Amino acid sequence: MVEDEYTSGEVNSERSVNTDHNTDQSDKPKPTIPSRGIPSKEAMYLPPHYSKELRRFQDDNETPTRNYWSLEEVVNFIFPKKYQEKYYEIALSFLKLVVKVESSGKSVTGDDIGRFIKENNISKATFYNRVLPRLKRVGMIKVERETIVPLESKRKFRPMKISLSKTFGNYLNKIGDSWLAIVDDVRSRR
């Protein structure tokens, strides 16, 4: 086998690295766990803006249209129907319940959730461990708890009240407004 000067130089230099056993251990890079990307519980589904999945939201001059996306379309960004169909269906039907109850001036209670889970034959684990925390984390719903201690016993209980929240919209508006300001600033300097 024939080695040229360049190849043999690389091999020799690699072999000479870290041959001294008396070197300080802190010089070695510490092993790291490779990134696996964004955890799915913290990710949001954003299909391409020209996707057939989305209804048109801007005209050819990048001016927003006046139409709004439905609840079904908005929930698809949190639980994409294409990838998480069961979570999508549960979240959508639960948000419809919250909208219905809140439009009558009330909040959804733990009893309402229990009925919802039973009537729709939903796994409690799926609802309480996947769907509800995600809706809360992205800011679509607000979960409030009261601590009640009855006089006749020392046992506390904390009933839950769930209502719609504007945090999700405010969060995305802030991102969108900031981006629009950046683009406008750059275009104004031309």
Side-chain angles (χ1 to χ4, degrees), residues 8-182:
S8 63
E10 277 186 5
V11 172
N12 290 338
S13 67
E14 287 179 36
R15 286 185 188 151
S16 64
V17 173
N18 290 333
T19 56
D20 183 12
H21 295 290
N22 295 331
T23 60
D24 185 13
Q25 293 294 331
S26 64
D27 292 334
K28 292 183 182 178
K30 294 185 179 182
T32 59
I33 298 172
S35 172
R36 304 268 189 252
I38 301 168
S40 63
K41 68 180 184 177
E42 295 181 12
M44 195 167 124
Y45 178 60
L46 291 175
H49 65 88
Y50 48 81
S51 170
K52 300 280 186 213
E53 272 183 89
L54 302 175
R55 254 189 312 141
R56 193 170 168 129
F57 60 91
Q58 67 180 10
D59 62 18
D60 294 333
N61 295 323
E62 297 180 342
T63 304
T65 57
R66 295 186 53 89
N67 61 338
Y68 292 105
W69 283 328
S70 66
L71 183 60
E72 291 83 359
E73 292 168 307
V74 173
V75 171
N76 192 55
F77 292 107
I78 306 306
F79 293 109
K81 189 174 185 179
K82 184 174 170 180
Y83 301 110
Q84 298 176 313
E85 187 173 358
K86 190 66 179 172
Y87 293 168
Y88 168 82
E89 291 169 2
I90 293 169
L92 180 60
S93 55
F94 179 68
L95 286 172
K96 284 181 178 179
L97 170 71
V98 176
V99 166
K100 179 181 173 186
V101 170
E102 196 164 314
S103 64
S104 67
K106 300 177 184 172
S107 295
V108 173
T109 63
D111 293 337
D112 296 329
I113 293 172
R115 272 193 304 281
F116 169 76
I117 288 172
K118 191 172 185 175
E119 288 171 2
N120 292 294
N121 198 22
I122 297 169
S123 161
K124 277 183 171 182
T126 298
F127 182 77
Y128 284 110
N129 296 336
R130 299 284 184 235
V131 176
L132 189 65
R134 173 106 183 187
L135 293 174
K136 180 182 173 187
R137 201 169 35 248
V138 300
M140 293 180 105
I141 60 171
K142 180 173 27 176
V143 178
E144 298 171 296
R145 289 191 175 268
E146 286 181 73
T147 302
I148 299 175
V149 182
L151 294 174
E152 64 274 357
S153 74
K154 300 285 184 191
R155 204 174 65 190
K156 294 181 192 177
F157 65 98
R158 302 183 68 218
M160 182 174 16
K161 289 181 3 184
I162 296 177
S163 56
L164 296 174
S165 174
K166 288 185 172 185
T167 302
F168 176 69
N170 292 335
Y171 194 174
L172 295 179
N173 277 338
K174 191 63 156 180
I175 294 169
D177 290 345
S178 299
W179 179 250
L180 291 174
I182 291 166

